[in-house]
């Protein structure tokens, strides 16, 4: 489960701190050294860890904490607040268009969980009484179109496709025209991915973005790839206008390094968390709840 090993270590550290009663500066510093080690072992970006620990230390070594009757609790409270802040603070909601349809374009590397997340998002809209349209714009992997069609059938959601012989920009434009005619809203676009970032893919995604000006472009990243996910996100956000992220496979990520680093490194919020392969296993990402998961 997400953060499992990190949670165990931090909770051990703080149990020792709480057991001490009164704290001095040395106690706090030594606890924070352990926190630093645990975060690094969880594969959190080094710069992010350093900044985080400095911030916590600055607050925790003040008189307010030392003079408190429960200094251990105070330190935990500060760590909780700073962890929440690190993951973006407030929950970042999906934006909708001023006039329908809202357009959500999903981008990301192959295998990150893009197609599955397209289905999960469609399911959530359907539950709210919306009639989404899925657009199959991955023309390089024929199985991708089929995969989306299977999801569409299962969810009773329409899938727009023009096979794999057309230009993705034309497919997406035609899909939008279809949604407008049939009053389908939102439009969720499943774009092509590759195993690695390449110029051609980025150009294609830029072209689609320019042609349709999506309400949101959501980058799908695989939490289990740790700092690679952070680098991928950094690269994508340099070239594309990314509005937020869907972090998948958190269910299999005991460390949590990507989830804890990505917001700070890219400045983009995580909007959803994928918690399993099933279509109902995607949750809104709540930084405060995630922080509480770590600290117990
Ligand atoms: P795409 O190539 O980016 O479209 O990736 P897919 O949607 O085909 O997903 C790749 C694999 O990851 C599939 O086996 C999915 O079932 C799996 N997957 C996607 N999201 C999650 C998730 O949140 N948790 C887990 N455990 N598996 C996921």
């Amino acid at each position: 489960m997400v953060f499992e090993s990190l949670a165990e270590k931090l909770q051990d550290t703080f149990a020792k701190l709480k057991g001490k009663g009164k704290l001095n500066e040395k106690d706090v510093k030594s606890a924070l050294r352990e926190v630093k080690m645990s975060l690094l072992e969880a594969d959190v970006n080094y710069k992010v860890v350093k900044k985080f620990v400095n911030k916590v230390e600055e607050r925790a070594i003040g008189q307010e904490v030392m003079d408190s009757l429960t200094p251990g609790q105070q330190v935990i409270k500060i760590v909780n607040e700073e962890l929440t802040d690190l993951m973006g603070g407030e929950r970042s909601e999906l934006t909708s268009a001023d006039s329908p349809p809202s357009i959500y374009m999903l981008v990301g590397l192959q295998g990150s969980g893009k197609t599955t997340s397209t289905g999960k998002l469609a399911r959530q809209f359907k539950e709210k009484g919306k009639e989404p349209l899925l657009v199959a714009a991955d023309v390089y992997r024929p199985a991708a179109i089929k995969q989306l069609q299977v999801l569409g059938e299962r969810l009773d959601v329409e899938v727009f496709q023009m096979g794999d012989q057309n230009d993705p920009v034309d497919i997406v434009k035609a899909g939008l025209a279809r949604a407008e005619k049939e009053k389908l809203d939102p439009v969720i676009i499943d774009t092509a991915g590759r195993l690695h970032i390449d110029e051609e893919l980025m150009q294609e995604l830029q072209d689609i973005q320019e042609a349709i000006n999506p309400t949101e472009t959501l980058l799908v990243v695989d939490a289990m790839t740790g700092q690679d996910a952070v680098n991928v996100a950094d690269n994508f956000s340099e070239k594309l206008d990314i509005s937020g992220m869907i972090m998948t496979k958190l269910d299999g990520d005991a460390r949590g390094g990507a989830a804890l680093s990505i917001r700070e490194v890219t400045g983009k919020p995580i909007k959803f968390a994928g918690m399993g392969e099933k279509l109902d296993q995607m949750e809104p990402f709540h930084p405060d709840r995630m922080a509480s998961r770590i600290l117990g």
Side-chain angles (χ1 to χ4, degrees):
M1 217 39 207
V2 60
F3 296 134
E4 198 172 84
S5 53
L6 176 63
E8 207 171 290
K9 285 188 201 129
L10 291 191
Q11 285 171 28
D12 272 358
T13 300
F14 290 130
K16 278 188 268 172
L17 211 57
K18 274 195 286 189
K20 281 206 154 132
K22 268 245 162 282
L23 294 183
N24 59 34
E25 205 173 304
K26 218 173 114 217
D27 298 326
V28 174
K29 280 200 166 157
S30 122
L32 288 182
R33 246 194 314 277
E34 282 183 34
V35 170
K36 187 173 175 180
M37 284 310 299
S38 305
L39 289 171
L40 289 173
E41 277 168 33
D43 194 31
V44 180
N45 177 288
Y46 179 71
K47 282 189 197 149
V48 173
V49 173
K50 220 169 137 188
K51 197 167 151 197
F52 174 82
V53 173
N54 284 343
K55 247 167 131 182
V56 173
E57 186 170 312
E58 216 168 89
R59 290 182 63 191
I61 281 179
Q63 271 323 308
E64 221 175 302
V65 172
M66 300 303 172
D67 293 347
S68 143
L69 288 174
T70 52
Q73 291 288 9
Q74 292 301 316
V75 175
I76 297 171
K77 184 164 166 271
I78 292 170
V79 171
N80 191 322
E81 284 168 11
E82 293 297 337
L83 280 175
T84 304
D85 202 44
L86 192 60
M87 289 183 281
E90 297 275 299
R91 147 117 183 99
S92 180
E93 304 266 354
L94 213 51
T95 314
S96 19
D98 292 335
S99 58
S102 296
I103 307 169
Y104 303 113
M105 174 172 162
L106 270 62
V107 302
L109 293 185
Q110 195 174 309
S112 59
K114 216 171 343 86
T115 308
T116 309
S117 301
T118 304
K120 288 174 170 177
L121 208 52
R123 183 184 174 278
Q124 296 196 356
F125 280 109
K126 189 95 182 155
E127 292 243 299
K128 287 186 196 150
K130 297 267 196 182
E131 281 296 336
L133 176 71
L134 305 184
V135 177
D138 182 354
V139 295
Y140 307 105
R141 204 165 56 95
I145 300 176
K146 182 77 195 151
Q147 193 185 345
L148 203 62
Q149 282 174 320
V150 170
L151 285 177
E153 258 166 48
R154 214 180 322 151
L155 293 166
D156 191 24
V157 167
E158 186 174 328
V159 176
F160 181 85
Q161 59 99 12
M162 286 166 56
D164 55 9
Q165 297 300 312
N166 285 280
D167 185 85
V169 172
D170 294 335
I171 297 173
V172 168
K173 280 188 184 160
L176 266 188
R178 165 93 191 154
E180 270 158 23
K181 184 161 165 271
E182 301 296 325
K183 305 258 177 299
L184 300 171
D185 172 49
V187 176
I188 309 173
I189 304 166
D190 185 24
T191 62
R194 304 261 211 283
L195 288 174
H196 301 283
I197 293 173
D198 68 57
E199 284 305 316
E200 216 177 311
L201 171 68
M202 285 301 175
Q203 189 59 51
E204 177 181 308
L205 297 174
Q206 280 169 357
D207 291 345
I208 298 177
Q209 219 171 34
E210 259 167 46
I212 57 161
N213 190 22
T215 316
E216 292 225 21
T217 301
L218 298 166
L219 174 65
V220 181
V221 283
D222 175 348
M224 290 179 70
T225 61
Q227 285 308 304
D228 278 347
V230 178
N231 294 332
V232 165
D234 213 18
N235 260 301
F236 268 83
S237 23
E238 259 174 32
K239 307 222 164 65
L240 289 175
D241 190 6
I242 302 293
S243 55
M245 279 169 292
I246 298 178
M247 185 161 278
T248 61
K249 310 187 198 180
L250 270 170
D251 51 304
D253 179 30
R255 303 205 291 169
L260 283 166
S261 322
I262 213 158
R263 166 68 197 237
E264 183 81 9
V265 173
T266 65
K268 311 290 182 193
I270 304 175
K271 299 215 170 189
F272 295 98
M275 302 299 283
E277 293 190 276
K278 298 208 186 84
L279 291 174
D280 60 355
Q281 290 176 315
M282 185 169 81
E283 303 171 1
F285 186 86
H286 290 280
D288 54 344
R289 290 185 205 164
M290 285 291 164
S292 302
R293 245 177 164 138
I294 300 172
L295 295 174

